[in-house]
């Protein structure tokens, strides 16, 4: 038998599991990985430099396009940093809306993750199930912002507008009619809160369906149990956060440890793993979806009972209404100034972080007193996770690389920012 030699190969970027923008240089001994060297930079967007060239509000939309599966959570970190420098705080109703949509975003992210992860490892049905639920939540994005993905809904001082009283209905087409149309519109007879309430009541059963397909599935466990195990101590040393850290047994969650928005008022649990492998990280994310639905239900209950403004009445950072502009020349001037020049932020520096679906997403912001940031630096959770690829992959098989990329839940918009 001829001797097996070490050889080097490219995994990606033109590979389905590498998502088109990750290049891994793998050193293999047969099919066993001896070294994995990630090469980044194929999707360099210069988001931070672009943000430094524009008035503050004009960069909110860039945040959606970083981790484009965690849109509003990214906006939240950037907007919070601006608010800290300005010394302002959003109204209470806006804080509850932000909390609710952060959790809607978390479910959106984890649905995308569980579907694509299952697909990477050969399971098709879960992908279709997860995207069925995901479409409903993207309708909520569209209802409040007009966009299904890149919402630009959060603003310094609150949110763009209040929740709609009527949820748009699905229109009849040649493909959507009869019972199918009735099924798609059965939750859409009332407000967005009514729609989300019905979604959450149904969602717990849907998560059970995902678990029925995967959790005790023999093939799924063979592909994930013991793969990419990271101890709690090592996860902390490598800068892990989010489900990657909690999967290793560390109960660290910014929503509990450094509460922001209205998380202090919420009742929810932090799921943690035991072994720190791909299977544990899967279980953590599945349970996080249930906890997010619990938080959304609590926000819905409060928002039903409490009305109020969703934006500060401060013409420096928020536009006046049309009625106010008609009656007040000063309000009209503020309107034009806000949308052309923007507003000046006091000198200083700050760091604001949120518990994004993939981990700690932070924004370091420096102001020199001008109407645009002097420095913007974003802390992307996926960057630290990708740096651990060699350590997680060493000794595993080539086929396990797809499982490791999937378990890190990396999106290159934020890594190559």
């Amino acid at each position: 038998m001829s001797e097996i030699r070490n050889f080097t190969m490219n995994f990606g970027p033109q590979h389905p599991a590498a998502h088109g923008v990750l290049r891994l240089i793998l050193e293999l001994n047969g099919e066993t990985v001896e070294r994995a060297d990630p090469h980044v930079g194929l999707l360099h967007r210069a988001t931070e430099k672009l943000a430094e060239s524009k008035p503050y509000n004009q960069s909110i939309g860039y945040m959606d396009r970083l981790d484009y599966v965690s849109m509003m959570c990214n906006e939240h970190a950037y907007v919070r940093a601006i608010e800290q420098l300005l010394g302002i705080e959003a109204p209470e109703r806006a804080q509850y809306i932000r909390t609710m949509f952060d959790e809607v975003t978390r479910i959106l992210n984890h649905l995308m993750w569980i579907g694509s992860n299952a697909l990477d490892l050969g399971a098709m049905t879960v992908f279709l199930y997860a995207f069925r639920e995901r479409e409903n939540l993207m309708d909520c994005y569209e209802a409040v912002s007009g966009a299904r993905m890149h919402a630009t809904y959060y603003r310094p001082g609150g949110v763009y507008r209040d929740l709609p009283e009527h949820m748009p209905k699905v229109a009849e087409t040649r493909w959507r009619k009869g019972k199918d149309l009735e099924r798609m519109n059965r939750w859409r007879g009332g407000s967005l809160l009514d729609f989300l309430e019905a979604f959450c009541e149904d969602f717990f059963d849907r998560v059970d369906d995902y678990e029925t397909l995967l959790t005790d599935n023999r093939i799924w466990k063979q592909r994930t149990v013991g793969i990419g195990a990271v101890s709690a101590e090592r996860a902390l040393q490598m800068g892990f956060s989010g489900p990657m850290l909690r999967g290793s047994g560390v109960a660290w969650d910014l929503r509990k440890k450094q509460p922001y928005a209205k998380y202090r008022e919420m009742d929810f649990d932090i799921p943690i793993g035991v072994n720190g492998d791909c299977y544990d990280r899967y279980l953590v994310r599945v349970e996080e979806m249930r906890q997010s639905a619990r938080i959304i239900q609590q926000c819905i209950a409060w928002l039903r009972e409490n009305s109020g403004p969703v934006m500060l009445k401060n013409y420096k950072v928020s536009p006046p209404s049309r009625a106010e502009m008609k009656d007040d020349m000063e309000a009209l001037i503020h309107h034009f100034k806000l949308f052309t020049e923007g507003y000046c932020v006091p000198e200083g520096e700050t760091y604001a972080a949120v518990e994004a679906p993939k981990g700690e997403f932070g924004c370091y912001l420096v102001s020199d007193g001008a109407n645009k940031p002097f420095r913007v630096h974003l802390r992307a959770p996926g960057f630290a996770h990708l740096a651990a690829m060699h350590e997680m992959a060493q000794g595993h098989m080539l086929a396990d690389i797809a499982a490791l990329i999937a378990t890190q839940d990396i999106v290159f918009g934020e890594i190559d920012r």
Side-chain angles (χ1 to χ4, degrees):
M1 183 182 290
S2 60
E3 182 183 347
I4 296 176
R5 290 173 149 189
N6 285 13
F7 64 97
T8 302
M9 70 171 288
N10 280 305
F11 186 101
Q14 289 82 16
H15 187 287
H19 303 266
V21 282
L22 168 63
R23 180 190 182 206
L24 283 177
I25 298 179
L26 302 178
E27 292 182 13
L28 303 173
N29 184 350
E31 285 195 41
T32 302
V33 178
E34 294 194 338
R35 179 175 174 79
D37 185 13
H39 282 224
V40 301
L42 282 78
L43 183 75
H44 183 48
R45 291 182 167 180
T47 300
E48 293 160 330
K49 285 302 167 191
L50 285 168
E52 292 166 15
S53 68
K54 291 174 172 56
Y56 287 89
N57 275 19
Q58 292 183 21
S59 295
I60 298 172
Y62 280 119
M63 303 301 131
D64 292 299
R65 291 158 173 82
L66 291 164
D67 176 2
Y68 39 78
V69 207
S70 309
M71 298 74 71
M72 289 198 197
C73 290
N74 301 342
E75 293 176 24
H76 203 166
Y78 179 67
V79 164
R80 282 189 67 221
I82 297 171
E83 287 175 343
Q84 287 175 11
L85 286 176
L86 286 170
I88 61 174
E89 191 171 299
E92 191 171 24
R93 183 173 174 85
Q95 298 277 15
Y96 271 96
I97 291 173
R98 286 181 181 181
T99 304
M100 182 175 76
F101 268 99
D102 276 12
E103 296 311 309
V104 167
T105 305
R106 195 175 315 279
I107 294 176
L108 278 169
N109 182 95
H110 288 352
L111 286 173
M112 174 76 173
W113 172 82
I114 197 171
S116 59
N117 189 2
L119 201 61
D120 284 346
L121 300 186
M124 182 77 187
T125 308
V126 185
F127 180 82
L128 300 174
Y129 281 14
F131 269 67
R132 175 189 59 193
E133 274 69 72
R134 202 165 182 269
E135 284 299 303
N136 284 323
L137 290 181
M138 297 197 79
D139 287 346
C140 297
Y141 258 52
E142 187 175 10
V144 296
S145 71
R148 291 176 66 76
M149 283 187 67
H150 304 312
T152 321
Y153 180 56
Y154 295 0
R155 299 282 194 279
V159 294
Y160 166 51
R161 61 183 175 189
D162 208 343
L163 305 175
E165 288 298 318
H166 301 285
M167 191 68 184
K169 292 195 172 186
V170 177
E172 182 175 351
T173 68
R174 58 189 290 192
W175 298 280
R176 295 172 177 166
K177 52 188 173 183
K179 288 186 178 179
D180 280 344
L181 188 66
E182 184 181 334
R183 173 182 57 80
M184 295 176 83
N185 282 327
R186 74 181 187 271
W187 296 341
R188 299 170 188 269
S191 66
L192 181 137
L193 290 177
D194 295 330
F195 180 85
L196 272 174
E197 186 173 47
F199 174 88
C200 289
E201 288 173 2
D202 180 71
F203 187 61
F204 293 103
D205 291 336
R206 302 287 76 80
V207 179
D208 291 343
D209 290 344
Y210 310 150
E211 288 219 73
T212 300
L213 288 166
L214 294 180
T215 301
D216 292 321
N217 184 301
R218 179 164 50 98
I219 300 171
W220 180 256
K221 293 182 79 170
Q222 286 172 345
R223 294 300 306 273
T224 56
V225 172
I227 304 299
V230 181
S231 68
E233 181 184 11
R234 192 68 186 125
L236 287 167
Q237 289 171 348
M238 291 192 289
F240 282 12
S241 58
M244 290 289 290
L245 181 60
R246 293 190 285 275
S248 295
V250 181
W252 179 263
D253 189 316
L254 293 180
R255 297 172 295 171
K256 286 277 192 185
K257 305 300 184 183
Q258 299 172 11
Y260 54 94
K262 286 296 173 181
Y263 283 110
R264 199 182 299 275
E265 317 298 326
M266 298 294 121
D267 177 27
F268 65 100
D269 301 318
I270 304 176
I272 59 171
V274 178
N275 302 310
D277 56 11
C278 289
Y279 188 68
D280 271 8
R281 291 186 282 269
Y282 154 76
L283 292 174
V284 164
R285 288 184 173 103
V286 166
E287 183 56 30
E288 278 190 7
M289 287 195 281
R290 294 192 178 98
Q291 297 303 319
S292 291
R294 280 181 63 195
I295 294 172
I296 292 170
Q297 288 176 324
Q298 294 169 61
C299 291
I300 290 170
W302 190 93
L303 288 165
R304 282 193 193 285
E305 299 297 324
N306 299 273
S307 59
V310 296
M311 192 71 183
L312 283 181
K313 194 166 183 179
N314 178 346
Y315 292 158
K316 180 178 180 180
V317 295
S318 61
S321 67
R322 287 184 177 274
E324 289 167 328
M325 285 191 288
K326 288 177 181 178
D327 297 333
D328 187 348
M329 179 58 74
E330 186 179 352
L332 182 63
I333 293 168
H334 275 289
H335 170 85
F336 285 115
K337 188 173 186 299
L338 181 64
F339 285 102
T340 54
E341 183 184 327
Y343 46 82
C344 294
V345 172
E347 286 187 38
E349 59 182 335
T350 190
Y351 176 77
V354 299
E355 187 64 41
K358 294 173 173 59
E360 180 180 332
F361 181 88
C363 176
Y364 172 66
L365 199 61
V366 181
S367 170
D368 59 359
N371 66 332
K372 56 189 73 170
F374 175 76
R375 183 73 180 97
V376 177
H377 180 65
L378 302 165
R379 193 269 180 198
F383 192 80
H385 301 156
L386 187 62
M389 179 60 76
H390 165 66
E391 195 163 319
M392 294 175 69
Q394 195 171 28
H396 289 303
M397 305 294 282
L398 175 61
D400 295 326
I401 292 295
L404 293 175
I405 294 173
T407 197
Q408 290 186 359
D409 194 15
I410 50 178
V411 164
F412 264 79
E414 66 170 15
I415 293 170
D416 278 352
R417 60 200 176 283

